[in-house]
């Protein structure tokens, strides 16, 4: 197999390049996904019905177990984020992702190749079970970086939702106190933390374990994701490969990555909802707190219904599909090999 000849540094560079490009393209949708997953029934800031008011978040949406159009939820979330936080508000937490996505994606892709190589015999095609074992190993390795990255990113992404909810409740309280008159004083905005401040506070108060809060839930999401994604991608990519060529065309790799990524993302979305809730340090008014994975799952099911486990699934599919499609194109085109070749051959 041709990819076995690729050096480890090239694999790491390819994974990093792919991660940087992908995150830059889809991060606003990921922010919408996090905020939609964290809002609970009765305390909704984002809905599927656009407000006619100048202040799109003048009141909280009513409680209810139903989940309206996910596309409308996503659009409403992004529109309100831009109006209240500006264009760059959609990229809150992006610096953390851009910093750590390189080692995360690099570890994931390189580990999968390593395990596939170790499980193969004399270059023979891997069985489905061995492909799944290789994906399991890759998912397990990546959480070393994924867990602290997600921990910091979620706090930064969700800060805007909590601030918006508090602003809405403060405005409602003033309206009630003044008999319906328009409030003249706006509640002061709470300072929003930075990734550096969060890291320092977590290390000071909880030690290194603070950055790895939700590790079990992250494993519960990422291991099944890799078990589904890598075998599905490999087989879809194989279907589109001409018999006379060693590699599939780039568009086949891209489409295979998109389809496999979106399918795996939706399949593990319930685990992602639980992980997001567990890793959120700040809660909105009257929102549930959780003591662990089972407690979180039980409370979500009891208070919000089964559909709550699919919150953000549409957004997550939109994030993962291009992210992994781009990753596989960069990986299979071998951009890093070309760069390393130029460095090793100065006369090229």
């Amino acid at each position: 197999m041709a990819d076995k000849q690729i050096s480890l540094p090239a694999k790491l560079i390819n994974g990093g390049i792919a991660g940087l490009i992908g995150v830059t393209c889809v991060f606003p949708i990921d922010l919408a996904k996090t905020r939609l997953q964290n809002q609970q029934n009765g305390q909704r800031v984002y809905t599927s019905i656009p407000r006619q008011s100048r202040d799109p978040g003048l009141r909280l949406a009513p409680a209810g177990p139903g989940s309206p159009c996910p596309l409308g939820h996503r659009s409403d979330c992004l529109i309100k984020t831009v109006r209240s936080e500006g264009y760059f508000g959609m990229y809150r937490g992006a610096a953390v992702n851009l910093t750590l996505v390189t080692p995360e994606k690099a570890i994931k892709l390189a580990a999968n190749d390593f395990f596939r190589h170790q499980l193969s015999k004399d270059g023979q095609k891997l069985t489905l079970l061995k492909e799944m074992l290789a994906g399991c190993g890759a998912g397990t390795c990546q959480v070393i970086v994924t867990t602290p990255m997600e921990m910091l990113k979620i706090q930064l992404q969700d800060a805007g939702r909590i601030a918006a909810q508090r602003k809405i409740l403060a405005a409602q309280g003033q309206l009630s106190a003044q008999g319906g008159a328009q409030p003249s004083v706006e509640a002061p905005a709470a300072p929003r933390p930075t990734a550096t401040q969060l890291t320092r506070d977590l290390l000071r108060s909880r030690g290194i374990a603070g950055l790895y809060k939700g590790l079990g839930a992250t494993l519960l999401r990422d291991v099944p994701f890799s078990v589904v994604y890598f075998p599905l991608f490999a087989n879809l990519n194989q279907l589109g490969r001409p018999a006379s060529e060693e590699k599939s065309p780039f568009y086949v790799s891209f489409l295979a990555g998109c389809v496999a990524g979106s399918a795996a993302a939706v399949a593990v979305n319930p685990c992602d909802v639980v992980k997001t809730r567990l890793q959120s340090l700040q809660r909105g008014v009257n929102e549930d707190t959780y003591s662990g994975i089972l407690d979180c799952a039980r409370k979500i099911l009891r208070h919000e219904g089964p559909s709550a486990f699919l919150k953000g699934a549409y957004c997550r599919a939109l994030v993962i599909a291009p992210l992994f499609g781009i990753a596989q194109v960069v990986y299979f085109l071998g951009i890093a090999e070309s760069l390393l070749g130029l460095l090793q051959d100065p006369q090229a």
Side-chain angles (χ1 to χ4, degrees):
M1 294 176 64
D3 60 338
K4 290 180 183 178
Q5 304 303 318
I6 303 175
S7 65
L8 180 60
K11 292 176 183 177
L12 298 178
I13 293 172
N14 279 331
I17 293 172
L20 291 173
I21 296 173
V23 167
T24 303
C25 294
V26 302
F27 193 83
I29 305 176
D30 186 66
L31 179 137
K33 186 265 309 180
T34 297
R35 293 187 176 184
L36 291 175
Q37 286 183 339
N38 263 333
Q39 70 174 2
Q40 300 178 20
N41 286 343
Q43 304 296 332
R44 291 179 182 166
V45 177
Y46 312 111
T47 70
S48 60
I49 303 174
R51 306 283 187 196
Q52 299 301 320
S53 167
R54 288 184 181 179
D55 186 351
L58 190 56
R59 57 188 176 89
L60 292 174
S67 180
C69 172
L71 179 59
H73 272 117
R74 177 175 63 87
S75 302
D76 185 59
C77 179
L78 293 178
I79 289 170
K80 288 178 178 177
T81 298
V82 172
R83 287 181 179 177
S84 62
E85 304 173 51
Y87 173 79
F88 290 105
M90 295 190 297
Y91 284 88
R92 284 194 59 81
V96 174
N97 254 35
L98 290 173
T99 302
L100 296 179
V101 75
T102 298
E104 189 226 17
K105 286 291 177 286
I107 289 172
K108 189 185 192 82
L109 293 172
N112 180 66
D113 271 7
F114 172 79
F115 288 117
R116 288 177 69 91
H117 178 69
Q118 295 299 317
L119 291 169
S120 65
K121 295 180 179 179
D122 301 324
Q124 294 180 1
K125 179 177 171 57
L126 290 176
T127 63
L128 179 60
L129 177 60
K130 288 185 177 181
E131 287 182 334
M132 294 173 71
L133 286 173
C136 179
T140 303
C141 290
Q142 80 169 82
V143 298
I144 297 171
V145 176
T146 303
T147 304
M149 178 181 76
E150 290 278 310
M151 183 70 186
L152 296 174
K153 183 197 73 172
I154 286 171
Q155 315 316 315
L156 296 171
Q157 286 182 327
D158 203 40
R161 180 189 69 88
I162 294 175
Q165 188 195 91
R166 289 173 178 169
K167 178 182 176 182
I168 294 167
L169 292 172
Q172 289 178 346
Q174 289 184 6
L175 283 171
S176 300
Q178 298 177 15
Q182 185 68 26
S184 57
V185 180
E186 186 174 300
R192 293 177 182 172
T194 65
T196 303
Q197 290 172 339
L198 284 170
T199 303
R200 187 165 51 241
D201 291 345
L202 284 170
L203 289 175
R204 184 185 301 119
S205 61
R206 308 186 188 186
I208 192 67
L211 291 174
Y212 282 88
K213 179 180 170 64
L215 174 62
T218 306
L219 279 168
L220 198 62
R221 181 198 67 172
D222 288 349
V223 171
F225 178 93
S226 296
V227 168
V228 173
Y229 172 78
F230 283 110
L232 183 56
F233 168 78
N235 285 278
L236 290 175
N237 196 53
Q238 179 71 25
L239 288 175
R241 183 168 66 184
S244 59
E245 298 182 21
E246 290 187 353
K247 284 187 177 181
S248 299
F250 78 93
Y251 64 87
V252 172
S253 294
F254 176 77
L255 291 175
C258 288
V259 172
S262 58
V266 173
V268 302
N269 196 76
C271 300
D272 190 53
V273 173
V274 171
K275 182 200 73 68
T276 300
R277 296 279 182 95
L278 288 175
Q279 287 188 315
S280 297
L281 298 176
Q282 297 294 322
R283 301 286 176 195
V285 179
N286 298 325
E287 289 185 345
D288 288 332
T289 57
Y290 312 105
S291 60
I293 295 173
L294 292 178
D295 180 60
C296 180
R298 276 196 300 264
K299 287 182 177 177
I300 292 174
L301 184 62
R302 183 187 309 125
H303 299 156
E304 303 174 60
S307 63
F309 289 106
L310 292 178
K311 283 185 176 181
Y314 184 83
C315 291
R316 183 161 163 77
L318 288 179
V319 169
I320 297 297
L323 189 64
F324 278 83
I326 292 169
Q328 294 297 351
V329 169
V330 172
Y331 198 56
F332 277 84
L333 287 179
I335 294 176
E337 292 87 314
S338 301
L339 293 174
L340 291 174
L342 289 174
L343 292 175
Q344 293 173 359
D345 186 6
Q347 297 184 4

